[in-house]
């Protein structure tokens, strides 16, 4: 194959997918820039924690050898506990089913801020660059930014999340983002001492407690309370004294799919009261995290979930493409969106490497797009049914987060 002149790749969005692509291109010596709309690395919270499963070996293989060990992003550090994700029937705190990290089936729950810093190793992110327009001319692509500047390259990758400006360029006025009809409230709090031990004994990393609506009572709805440790809190001796926790309560609610959902207008007080009311079918062991949360700990406005299904007609096999949430955002109930964004990045880095070695551009960009969409659309469809299904199978889904679930007896924790 004749070698193409090394392409320059413009990556729009410095989130999980965009930065992973950047690292994979850095390893292949392919020129790229990452443009991020945030004004600086810490201009907003990166969220709490994210579970990475079934992708860790590939992550190590695709990323450059000079990266610090990925274990440094582990949200449990400095606690020496394996990642553990548990699902409960909300009325049965005694039955623990889920997954625990083992050498054969590794799970890494990453603190999101640390993960972004890790993925940004040796990548000079261009902050304050919000893409607002794209033009394609003579085999080159120019991205215009809100600050009036522009950049030109050979490829543009929309890794700019669920409200992607690059997707809007590809779809024009036909954007098909869909609101997921589930009402959510989220709370944050720091717990310490015995409460931290109690929470860790329920699950080291995160747990979901489900209360399915009784089939004979149409006034009731499915409820799921998800609780996670963002990171332990240490005292001046470096000893773990507590933890930053977060929780999300999800309730099936068709009214959310309106232009102005009620949760967007609710006060912190109202969201907390609603959460306490919705958590009532759950055992006290699960409800207490909600009861302990102060009104100031409620996130406003709360999350609105979206999903989208694209087809190969939406993304020409050319110089502008998408990855991650920009192409296939979905609700978080199967914990797949981030893992799939990583897989997209590996596949796109492979396609761009082949093109830089002289491979046919249309062939490799079409192959990437088709694989990425097939995987993404399947996950979006599976996730659509996941909330109701998880609630109705309560604590016993046979597979969760990539691995078969098992019963994991409760163990005593000493801090
Ligand atoms: C509550 C919750 C829990 C989740 N838990 C998990 C989990 O456990 N496991 C899992 O695999 N997935 C999980 N996900 C999904 C996961 O967070 C996403 O799928 C993942 O972040 C997608 O990565 P991305 O890089 O495509 O997009 P993002 O992470 O959204 O990054 C997009 C980046 O683009 C930037 N940007 C946006 N617009 C522009 C623009 N116009 N110009 C320049 N930059 C722009 C944004 O600021 C952002 O930095 C969860 C999601 C939620 C909401």
């Amino acid at each position: 194959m004749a070698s193409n002149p090394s392409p320059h790749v413009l990556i729009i969005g410095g989130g999980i997918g965009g930065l992973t692509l950047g690292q994979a291109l850095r390893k292949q010596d392919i020129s790229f820039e990452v443009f991020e709309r945030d004004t600086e690395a810490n201009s907003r919270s990166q969220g709490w924690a994210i579970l990475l499963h079934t992708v860790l070996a590939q992550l190590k293989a695709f990323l450059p050898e000079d990266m610090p060990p990925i274990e440094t992003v582990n949200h449990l550090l400095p606690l020496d506990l394996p990642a553990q994700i548990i699902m409960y029937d909300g009325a049965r705190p005694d039955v623990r089913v889920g997954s625990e990290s083992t050498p054969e089936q590794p799970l890494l729950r990453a603190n999101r801020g640390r993960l972004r810093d890790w993925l940004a190793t040796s990548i000079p992110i261009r902050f304050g660059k919000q893409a607002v327009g794209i033009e394609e001319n003579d085999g080159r692509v120019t991205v215009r930014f809100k600050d009036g500047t522009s950049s030109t390259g050979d490829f543009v990758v929309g890794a700019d999340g669920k409200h992607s400006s690059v997707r809007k360029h590809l779809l024009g006025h036909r954007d098909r983002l869909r609101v997921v009809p589930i009402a959510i409230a989220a709370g944050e709090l720091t717990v310490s001492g015995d409460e931290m031990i109690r929470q860790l004994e329920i699950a080291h990393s995160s747990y979901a407690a489900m209360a399915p609506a009784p089939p004979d009572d149409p006034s009731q709805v499915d409820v799921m309370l998800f609780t996670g440790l963002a990171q332990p809190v240490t005292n001046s001796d470096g000893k773990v004294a507590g933890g930053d926790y977060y929780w999300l309560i999800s309730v099936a609610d068709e009214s959310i799919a309106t232009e102005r959902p009620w949760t967007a207008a609710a006060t912190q007080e109202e969201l907390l009261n609603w959460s306490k009311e919705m958590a009532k079918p759950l055992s006290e062991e699960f409800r207490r995290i909600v009861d302990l949360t102060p009104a100031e700990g409620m996130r406003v406005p709360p999350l609105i979930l979206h999903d989208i299904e694209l087809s190969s007609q939406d993304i020409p096999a050319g110089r502008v493409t998408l990855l991650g949430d920009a192409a296939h955002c979905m609700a978080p109930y199967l914990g797949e969106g981030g893992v799939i964004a990583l897989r997209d990045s590996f596949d796109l880095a492979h396609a761009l490497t082949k093109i830089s070695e002289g491979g046919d551009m249309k062939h490799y960009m079409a192959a990437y797009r088709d694989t990425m969409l097939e995987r993404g659309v399947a996950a979006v469809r599976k996730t659509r049914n996941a909330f109701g299904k998880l609630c109705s199978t309560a604590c016993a889904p046979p597979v969760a987060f990539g691995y078969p679930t098992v019963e994991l007896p409760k163990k005593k924790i000493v801090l």
Side-chain angles (χ1 to χ4, degrees), residues 12-19 35-38 44 46 48-53 109 112 116 129-132 145 159-166 226 246 248 303 305 323-326 329-332 334-341 401:
I12 310 304
I16 296 171
L19 289 174
F35 299 93
E36 167 56 51
R37 75 173 165 191
D38 288 350
R44 72 183 160 92
Q46 289 305 304
W48 304 289
I50 181 166
L51 181 70
L52 302 179
H53 54 82
R109 195 155 173 85
R112 284 202 188 239
R116 178 160 170 178
K129 295 286 176 187
Q130 181 176 351
V132 291
F145 299 102
D160 48 349
K162 69 177 180 179
H163 296 292
S164 170
S165 61
V166 180
F226 173 93
Y246 64 103
L248 294 103
L303 282 171
L305 303 176
L323 67 73
D325 277 12
C329 65
M330 64 196 84
L334 297 177
E336 296 223 315
V339 169
I340 291 181
F401 315 115

Side-chain angles (χ1 to χ4, degrees), residues 88-354:
Y88 287 98
D89 173 334
R92 300 282 315 270
D94 53 320
V95 182
R96 299 173 89 245
V97 175
S99 300
E100 182 172 288
S101 186
T102 62
E104 298 74 39
Q105 298 188 342
L107 290 171
L108 177 69
R109 195 155 173 85
N111 174 278
R112 284 202 188 239
R114 276 187 239 154
L115 179 64
R116 178 160 170 178
D117 292 347
W118 182 78
L119 285 171
T121 303
S122 302
I123 294 185
I125 302 174
R126 306 207 36 202
F127 286 107
K129 295 286 176 187
Q130 181 176 351
V132 291
I134 295 177
E135 278 122 41
E136 295 182 58
N137 279 313
D138 302 327
R140 303 274 284 162
V141 199
T142 298
V143 180
R144 283 186 292 104
F145 299 102
K146 197 172 174 196
D147 64 2
T149 61
S150 63
S151 277
T152 299
D154 301 291
F155 292 93
V156 168
V157 180
D160 48 349
K162 69 177 180 179
H163 296 292
S164 170
S165 61
V166 180
R167 186 183 69 236
K168 285 175 193 144
H169 161 78
L170 290 171
L171 300 191
H173 296 296
R174 300 170 293 126
D175 202 10
R176 298 194 292 274
L177 203 59
R178 168 186 168 276
V179 176
V180 175
I182 293 177
I184 293 197
E188 292 174 289
L189 70 165
T190 300
V191 305
S192 56
D194 288 349
E195 188 56 41
M196 172 71 170
I197 291 175
R198 193 174 291 123
Q199 291 298 328
L200 286 171
E201 287 179 351
I202 302 176
H204 302 167
S205 298
S206 68
Y207 57 93
M210 267 74 78
D216 51 351
D217 184 353
S219 69
Q220 300 293 308
V221 283
D222 291 338
V223 175
M224 178 192 290
L225 175 64
F226 173 93
T227 302
L229 170 66
Q231 58 193 350
V233 175
T234 49
N235 61 23
S236 51
D237 312 337
K239 217 173 159 311
V240 173
D244 291 332
Y245 274 84
Y246 64 103
W247 53 264
L248 294 103
I249 194 157
S250 300
V251 177
D253 183 346
E254 292 291 333
S255 83
I256 289 300
T258 56
E259 209 151 280
R260 188 123 179 90
W262 70 265
T263 50
T267 62
Q268 289 177 306
E269 207 81 56
E270 286 165 343
L271 287 166
L272 183 57
N273 290 339
W274 176 79
S275 304
K276 287 181 180 171
E277 192 58 34
M278 293 299 114
K280 277 187 179 159
L282 302 172
S283 139
E284 194 276 337
E285 186 151 356
F286 304 125
R287 270 189 284 123
R288 52 183 295 125
I289 196 85
V290 178
D291 292 336
L292 288 170
T293 305
E296 317 81 80
M298 297 304 292
R299 181 191 156 132
V300 279
L303 282 171
I304 302 287
L305 303 176
H306 295 86
D307 69 22
I308 194 163
E309 258 186 61
L310 299 183
S311 73
S312 56
Q313 280 88 55
D314 297 318
I315 308 178
R319 296 185 176 277
V320 180
T321 195
L322 302 174
L323 67 73
D325 277 12
H328 43 61
C329 65
M330 64 196 84
Y333 300 106
L334 297 177
E336 296 223 315
V339 169
I340 291 181
L342 298 183
R343 293 195 205 287
D344 292 351
S345 308
F346 307 146
D347 289 343
L348 183 52
H350 173 75
L352 291 167
T353 304
K354 288 289 178 195

Side-chain angles (χ1 to χ4, degrees), residues 6-7 9 11 17-32 58-59 61-64 155 157 321-323 340-357 364-365 367-369 371-372 375:
S6 180
V9 182
I11 302 171
L19 289 174
T20 302
L21 175 65
Q23 292 296 354
L25 295 181
R26 188 164 77 82
K27 184 164 182 167
Q28 298 302 326
D29 239 345
I30 293 177
S31 154
F32 70 94
Q58 249 180 318
L59 198 56
F62 269 88
L63 270 42
F155 292 93
V157 180
T321 195
L322 302 174
L323 67 73
I340 291 181
L342 298 183
R343 293 195 205 287
D344 292 351
S345 308
F346 307 146
D347 289 343
L348 183 52
H350 173 75
L352 291 167
T353 304
K354 288 289 178 195
I355 294 166
S356 74
E357 289 167 357
Y364 282 104
M365 293 306 278
Y368 159 70
R369 173 201 62 199
T371 306
M372 178 274 288
R375 177 172 52 219

